[in-house]
Amino acid sequence: MDFRGFFLAIRKRWWAVVLLTAIGAAAAVGITSRQAEQYRSSVTFFLSTPTAEPGQAYQASLYAQQLVNSYVKLLGSDELARRVIADAGLQASPQSVAAKISGTADLNTVLITARATDSTPAAARRLSTAVAAVFGPMVSSLNNNAASAGTPSIVLSVVSGPTNPVKIAPRRTLNYLLGILGGLIVGLAVAALRELLDTSIRSDEQVAATGVGVLASITQLQGKDVLPLMVGNLDHSFLAEEMRQLRTNLQYAQVDRPVRVIAVVSSEAGEGKSTVATNLALVFAEANRRTLLIDADLRKPRIADYLGLEGAVGLSDVLAQQVDLDAVIQPWGEQNLRVLTSGSPPPHPADLLGSRQMADLIARLRDDFDIIVIDTPPLLPVTDGVVTTLLADGAIVVVRNGRTKRAQLGETLQALRGVDASILGAVRNMVRQRRAGKSVYGDYVAAERSHSSREVEATETADAKEGQATPLRAVQAKDVAKASERPETDGRIKGPPRRPMVGGSEKRPAKSDHG
């Protein structure tokens, strides 16, 4: 991970960094508040070896330096603790007193510093005073035998102290800084680790790394009850503008051979493939292009439910030669959009989609429509989608932001390349909504969306006053139902009322060159 990737990981998971930093600070406050106060007083001794022979002064000094470390260890001994207890009149065990006394010695010196620590300043001062009184005599008594054998005698003299007690614990400022710093380091590490372990697609760069360009990024709509279709108030939204951008990019995807049949595929279910296919058909129809939307997902169809159309009879029935094509192509809205739903569930969808009848059907429909959008099943669970892409001029791979794994996208692209299918590009779907002011033109779209939202809110308020509150999805459903209205029939689903789209004798209008 480079510095830019690390920065993006921190920016993406800033809440984790802040949370762990706050936890570190809180832990430092809690630990510090539980620490008992400690005070320390010290006393410094000078170790000397008096001798009557000047020629032995250097040897005596070396001998004293060799004994310094041993005397430092004597400061924590039970013998010294017992003498301190007796001198200061303490009511404590030698072990507890010995734990409060420590010592140090500077290198290549004969100075020994004894430190006494206790919970109050007076107690610390009393301990250090007792150490200053008894440590020298204790060392002299221990050295009596050596002195009688002719070795230099040892004298410990107090040269400093006992000092005034100083507070050494708790060190609040240091503890707080360490807690905050520790929490911050852990937060940064967690954010970076989560980014390294997260294999889902979250940026256009990650998609481009697989060798496929990003045609468009589709914003995720706010609210669970909003169906992401370009009808009603959503016709003026970031969603609509992004779908129009996708339409424009597709028109220039293959300049030498314009794309007319588009297969919309995805790796797994739940990535928004059907809504992207439906909205793509809507924007092409909006541009006055004769558009046909085919629901080729014969296992779990969604198009009929989204658009409020009859889905019991459709593509599968036409391929099985049980119904005429003219009878099942349904008009939708006031634009040039026609829909061929999936129909009755067949026993072997892959065989049906890969049949000669399916290829002949697509070839036949090319003569009657400018754009054909095919919603396919997900590629990884079943082979239906791969078979369908062979009939199209190109395939769009829908990637759900934050959910589709990089390995899944790689397997999907490998499956398409394995059958030599043309890949037009990828669509990163359900991207988090951009913040206001991100784009120069975002204000115009936001203004349109706010105006439409106020209309929806006014409708909800009026219904609420009548005791019939209508949620946003219900308002959107009214738009779908209104667009899908068609004349009553004798039980058959008829095509456009103005002319038959396939096999009719009426003259078709000229194809539009605008997108």
Side-chain angles (χ1 to χ4, degrees), residues 169-253:
R171 304 175 69 177
R172 299 182 184 278
T173 303
L174 178 61
N175 290 348
Y176 296 160
L177 291 177
L178 290 177
I180 294 173
L181 181 61
L184 178 62
I185 293 175
V186 173
L188 296 176
V190 168
L193 185 61
R194 284 286 302 274
E195 182 68 17
L196 291 174
L197 297 179
D198 185 8
T199 60
S200 61
I201 301 293
R202 292 184 179 273
S203 66
D204 292 349
E205 290 78 7
Q206 291 176 333
V207 177
T210 62
V212 176
V214 178
L215 295 171
S217 296
I218 309 301
T219 299
Q220 183 179 14
L221 297 180
Q222 302 297 322
K224 297 181 180 179
D225 294 332
V226 180
L227 187 64
L229 294 181
M230 288 174 46
V231 295
N233 64 304
L234 292 183
D235 190 39
H236 302 283
S237 63
F238 279 114
L239 171 66
E241 295 304 318
E242 290 159 353
M243 292 306 302
R244 293 180 184 114
Q245 177 187 356
L246 174 60
R247 177 189 66 192
T248 302
N249 291 339
L250 286 174
Q251 291 174 342
Y252 295 98

Side-chain angles (χ1 to χ4, degrees), residues 65-86:
Q65 292 181 15
Q66 293 174 357
L67 293 178
V68 164
N69 290 331
S70 300
Y71 292 158
V72 168
K73 293 182 178 180
L74 287 177
L75 289 170
S77 65
D78 292 344
E79 176 62 24
L80 178 64
R82 282 190 287 267
R83 296 187 180 219
V84 168
I85 292 172

